[in-house]
Amino acid sequence: MSVVASVLEESEIAHRMPAVDEPRVDDPPVELEPVTLVEWETRRIELSESLARRLRDLPWLSVQPDSGAGYWKITAKQFVGGFTIDGLRVMVRPKINLENLFLLLEVGLPEEARQPGAIDYAETDDLLSELISFFARRAETTLARGHYHSYRHEEEDLLALRGRLDFTRQFRRGGLLVPMACSYDDFTADVAENRYLKAAMRRAIRVAGVKPVDRRRIMRLLVALEDVADVPTDADDLERITFTRLNDHYLHAMHLARLILANLTLQDQHGDTTASAFMLDMNKLFERFVTERLRQELSGRLEVEGQKSSTLDTDGNVRIKPDLLLSRDGTSVGVADIKYKLREAYESAAAEDAGSGIWATHADYYQLLAYTTALDHRCGTLIYCVDANETGDGDAADRSDSSPARLAKSSIEVRNVGTRLHAVGIDLSGSPQSIRDQITALADHLVGYST
């Protein structure tokens, strides 16, 4: 079974931590209390001007001066996780349920990763250390079943024959009998799967704040993998590994390893201190999650393409890239755009007179209208991440899993052209089963309006 596109891509979701400047001699050492925020929350805290400048350079926060000397307003954006800079630890929690965050994180994660007892993030606020803890336990269980071995082709010059003689290489030596150019297949544990896990362990063990029991567990695993080479490993290397019945027990551990390799940045700071940054872009997470789940739900009914480029104008000067392009038998039949806007989806003036349901921002309607016009479709859909409490549909999160999925949605018809623009909300405040049911209902909606 070949690994399909993951919901995480390092180039889009992982944000590298900017270099940290050397401390200025006039900055007095201070004890800084950790700061915990929720997405889009604003807090007023006391900071030195130099630290405030460093925070301003980060993509994860908005920092503005506040009334009173030394006070600043810090606003979290759509990034969740934690980072340390110049002695200040900042943690940003998601607005959605923790188990649903892990539902978004990786379609391939094991079911137990989303259970409340698996990760103590709710108590510790430290997503990274708890993720490493879960990864260490999963890796230990995986390797306890035996290290995966496979044949790897080797070509070496040896004093004694091993495997087959490589006649082409040997004859280039002008009659020398030794060393012999040997070509052989070695049955070894030094394979891509173990190298991938080891690379994630090497990175994880450098994180400050990892629990001692997890640090010892990772150290034991590294010792067990001492015959596996330490090689530069990229998160996307997972896509080049084919899983079969021989190595499929590695799959869940390697998906966890991917999260660490794709999103964990380590920055050496002053002296022996190491700072870690593990920040997840909820915009990209939600977009990837919806795309992958719809691709599964619509299999056999519609083809789903994500981020396919096209042009708005006839000369091809203005590029457009809708999040979802739906096609049937190679012909485009629908278009949709995905918006993770728990905070912003209700700012439209239309919402004042709309009553219940979900209403898009004016800018989002304009964008979708441009897509439908350029692609010659009579309708399009905006897909939002919503909270039932924000829409006023408070019973949505409380409904039982046996109840039919109910999407928050609305539609408008554009004057003079008749194009219909739909706004649909996926409520992430409910259970994972309710979210799966809503994805199924969304797939049915897209099929019904695809012409």
Side-chain angles (χ1 to χ4, degrees):
M1 179 178 63
S2 180
V3 177
V4 298
S6 173
V7 294
L8 293 177
E9 290 187 1
E10 182 177 11
S11 61
E12 294 181 326
I13 298 180
H15 291 263
R16 298 305 180 192
M17 190 171 184
V20 179
D21 299 331
E22 289 298 322
R24 292 169 52 174
V25 295
D26 56 346
D27 285 340
V30 292
E31 286 289 331
L32 299 175
E33 291 292 329
V35 176
T36 301
L37 302 167
V38 179
E39 282 179 89
W40 299 107
E41 179 187 0
T42 298
R43 289 272 303 277
R44 179 177 182 267
I45 64 174
E46 187 176 9
L47 295 171
S48 68
E49 187 168 344
S50 60
L51 180 53
R53 285 200 306 269
R54 293 186 178 99
L55 289 175
R56 270 181 163 175
D57 292 336
L58 300 177
W60 311 308
L61 302 173
S62 172
V63 180
Q64 300 294 333
D66 192 25
S67 58
Y71 281 91
W72 301 78
K73 283 184 178 179
I74 296 182
T75 302
K77 297 182 181 179
Q78 77 275 12
F79 302 94
V80 302
F83 65 91
T84 303
I85 184 169
D86 205 19
L88 176 66
R89 179 67 174 163
V90 179
M91 290 162 284
V92 183
R93 295 173 59 81
K95 294 183 71 174
I96 65 175
N97 297 340
L98 174 63
E99 60 179 336
N100 292 339
L101 172 63
F102 282 88
L103 191 70
L104 298 188
L105 272 173
E106 184 69 72
V107 176
L109 281 180
E111 185 70 26
E112 59 266 31
R114 299 189 292 271
Q115 299 303 317
I119 295 183
D120 298 325
Y121 182 40
E123 285 73 32
T124 66
D125 289 322
D126 194 340
L127 175 62
L128 176 56
S129 65
E130 293 304 325
L131 179 65
I132 289 174
S133 179
F134 188 74
F135 165 65
R137 297 196 303 272
R138 170 59 63 169
E140 184 178 53
T141 301
T142 298
L143 295 177
R145 294 181 55 182
H147 296 179
Y148 176 65
H149 286 64
S150 184
Y151 286 99
R152 191 180 68 196
H153 185 71
E154 300 282 0
E155 293 184 355
E156 284 188 281
D157 295 336
L158 303 174
L159 296 178
L161 180 64
R162 182 178 181 182
R164 301 175 299 278
L165 187 65
D166 187 334
F167 288 99
T168 302
R169 288 171 48 221
Q170 189 69 29
F171 288 156
R172 288 174 182 164
R173 296 177 178 165
L176 293 177
L177 298 179
V178 290
M180 288 181 278
C182 300
S183 177
Y184 62 93
D185 293 324
D186 187 23
F187 190 66
T188 177
D190 188 16
V191 292
E193 291 84 347
N194 290 321
R195 289 180 176 184
Y196 199 87
L197 287 182
K198 189 173 184 180
M201 293 175 195
R202 288 287 190 200
R203 189 171 299 186
I205 204 170
R206 293 183 57 201
V207 174
V210 175
K211 299 174 184 176
V213 62
D214 296 320
R215 193 175 298 277
R216 290 193 295 270
R217 181 179 282 118
I218 295 175
M219 285 299 298
R220 289 196 300 269
L221 295 175
L222 287 173
V223 171
L225 293 174
E226 62 180 348
D227 293 333
V228 176
D230 289 297
V231 297
T233 302
D234 186 81
D236 290 334
D237 290 345
L238 182 60
E239 304 300 331
R240 290 184 278 275
I241 297 176
T242 300
F243 286 90
T244 67
R245 62 181 181 82
L246 298 177
N247 65 348
D248 61 358
H249 63 290
Y250 268 63
L251 184 60
H252 290 157
M254 293 184 70
H255 277 298
L256 288 165
R258 181 188 175 93
L259 292 178
I260 293 171
L261 291 172
N263 298 282
L264 172 59
T265 300
L266 296 172
Q267 176 70 42
D268 291 325
Q269 296 189 83
H270 326 306
D272 297 327
T273 303
T274 298
S276 58
F278 186 81
M279 299 298 289
L280 302 168
D281 187 341
M282 296 297 291
N283 287 350
K284 296 298 181 182
L285 279 181
F286 183 66
E287 178 185 322
R288 297 286 175 186
F289 170 76
V290 172
T291 301
E292 291 303 317
R293 286 302 174 93
L294 284 177
R295 189 170 281 135
Q296 296 170 18
E297 285 289 339
L298 293 171
S299 178
R301 294 190 286 174
L302 293 175
E303 295 90 45
V304 178
E305 293 182 271
Q307 297 288 331
K308 184 174 182 179
S309 295
S310 185
T311 58
L312 180 66
D313 60 319
T314 54
D315 293 331
N317 295 321
V318 182
R319 307 293 299 177
I320 59 174
K321 188 183 287 187
D323 293 329
L324 293 178
L325 189 64
L326 309 173
S327 57
R328 184 184 290 115
D329 299 326
T331 301
S332 176
V333 295
V335 63
D337 213 44
I338 303 170
K339 307 289 186 182
Y340 177 81
K341 291 188 178 180
L342 273 172
R343 177 176 178 265
E344 303 171 62
Y346 310 100
E347 295 175 358
S348 171
E352 297 176 4
D353 304 317
S356 61
I358 175 174
W359 293 84
T361 64
H362 292 170
D364 292 344
Y365 279 134
Y366 302 153
Q367 182 182 27
L368 183 62
L369 179 60
Y371 291 162
T372 56
T373 303
L375 298 171
D376 195 23
H377 293 310
R378 301 299 295 171
C379 68
T381 301
L382 291 165
I383 304 170
Y384 286 100
C385 170
V386 303
D387 186 328
N389 296 321
E390 295 184 32
T391 62
D393 188 18
D395 62 335
D398 299 327
R399 65 176 178 265
S400 66
D401 288 342
S402 60
S403 302
R406 187 152 51 91
L407 293 172
K409 58 184 178 180
S410 66
S411 65
I412 63 171
E413 185 173 324
V414 182
R415 295 175 56 194
N416 300 323
V417 294
T419 302
R420 184 158 290 277
L421 306 179
H422 302 275
V424 175
I426 301 297
D427 174 23
L428 294 186
S429 65
S431 67
Q433 183 58 50
S434 74
I435 295 172
R436 286 189 283 267
D437 291 342
Q438 289 176 80
I439 292 292
T440 300
L442 173 60
D444 294 339
H445 163 88
L446 293 174
V447 171
Y449 285 97
S450 297
T451 58

